[in-house]
Amino acid sequence: MHNKYCVIDNASVVTGSFNPTAAAARDYNNLLVINSTALAAFYSNNFERLKIRNKEKTPTTAAVAGNKLKPKAAILNTTPVEVHFCPEDGCMEAVKRELQKANRSIIFAAYSFTSPELANELILKRAEGLAVAGVIEKSTAGSKYSKHAAMAANDIDVKLESSKRLMHHKFFVIDNETVVTGSFNPTMSADERNDENVIIIKNKEMAEKYLGEFDKIFG
């Protein structure tokens, strides 16, 4: 259970990478507060599903692939927003689709990055000439599954966060206008085993906030 969200009065959603702990307040995290009955309904429905399957076995990959859940999308004022829940919604595929749309740039910040599928997508985009840069938590980059070395070897400007703070973010910013965030680390476990949420927000002002945070950590 790796989600981090709260639904208030069926009208607001609080989500992001932030766990409700004292340590999280000191670490690098992001927190979204969104006032939307539509989004609140998506998260409330997921919460009810979590309660129902509390004692059930996690769905198999095949079962997830065959799931026909309706897309969870809404327009907030003029901002398109999508929500995906792992493992049933195929979060990895949703993130990959957004990366494939990139035309100019991709930046990312991740606590752990072990997904060969998403790493390959970033490598392909860099080979096409896009600006691709990222930052990964240093304590996870030594894993044999980490894609840090592979991305660095393929001309992606990826750094390890080296301060005393934990780099706990999980976000991508695409073409300075699309934000992908939530509880989802780019790992196979997050996609197939964990309970996670991914939120995709197409809004330049929101993207600027995440770019500012990225520049602060990356610099």
Side-chain angles (χ1 to χ4, degrees), residues 80-94:
V81 178
E82 289 181 24
V83 180
H84 302 265
F85 296 100
C86 305
E88 58 267 24
D89 284 354
C91 292
M92 190 81 74
E93 187 61 31

Side-chain angles (χ1 to χ4, degrees), residues 11-212:
S12 300
V13 174
V14 181
T15 189
S17 69
F18 182 84
N19 286 305
T21 68
R26 298 189 297 269
D27 296 332
Y28 289 115
N29 278 294
N30 70 95
L31 189 73
L32 291 165
V33 181
I34 304 175
N35 299 318
S36 166
T37 54
L39 261 63
F42 297 154
Y43 281 86
S44 293
N45 289 340
N46 176 256
F47 182 75
E48 293 303 318
R49 293 188 67 184
L50 289 174
K51 289 199 298 184
I52 290 170
R53 77 160 195 249
N54 190 354
K55 297 181 181 179
E56 296 178 3
K57 187 178 179 181
T58 300
T60 63
T61 303
V64 171
N67 204 314
K68 301 299 181 182
L69 293 176
K70 292 181 180 180
K72 288 174 270 296
I75 303 292
L76 309 187
N77 294 326
T78 59
T79 298
V81 178
E82 289 181 24
V83 180
H84 302 265
F85 296 100
C86 305
E88 58 267 24
D89 284 354
C91 292
M92 190 81 74
E93 187 61 31
V95 176
K96 182 179 177 181
R97 283 197 302 269
E98 293 304 316
L99 296 180
Q100 289 174 335
K101 296 174 186 176
N103 293 312
R104 300 184 304 278
S105 64
I106 300 171
I107 61 99
F108 66 89
Y111 171 75
S112 176
F113 201 130
T114 65
S115 166
E117 188 174 1
L118 296 186
N120 287 343
E121 196 60 48
L122 293 176
I123 290 168
L124 288 172
K125 286 297 182 180
R126 181 69 192 108
E128 291 173 11
L130 276 69
V132 182
V135 59
I136 297 174
E137 162 59 30
K138 60 186 179 298
S139 65
T140 70
S143 163
K144 66 179 180 179
Y145 301 107
S146 175
K147 298 305 171 187
H148 168 259
M151 289 190 287
N154 283 275
D155 200 30
I156 292 175
D157 193 1
V158 56
K159 294 184 178 180
L160 300 181
E161 206 296 303
S162 57
S163 74
K164 293 181 180 180
R165 293 183 177 186
L166 190 70
M167 217 303 300
H168 197 247
H169 282 304
K170 305 96 169 51
F171 68 76
F172 293 84
V173 180
I174 301 162
D175 290 343
N176 297 343
E177 59 186 24
T178 298
V179 175
V180 180
T181 190
S183 69
F184 180 83
N185 286 302
T187 70
M188 297 306 293
S189 292
D191 189 49
E192 297 179 359
R193 295 173 53 195
N194 298 350
D195 287 307
E196 308 268 11
N197 72 95
V198 168
I199 185 164
I200 301 169
I201 305 170
K202 298 181 184 296
N203 182 286
K204 289 183 179 180
E205 290 184 17
M206 180 69 70
E208 286 176 2
K209 294 181 182 297
Y210 281 84
L211 288 167

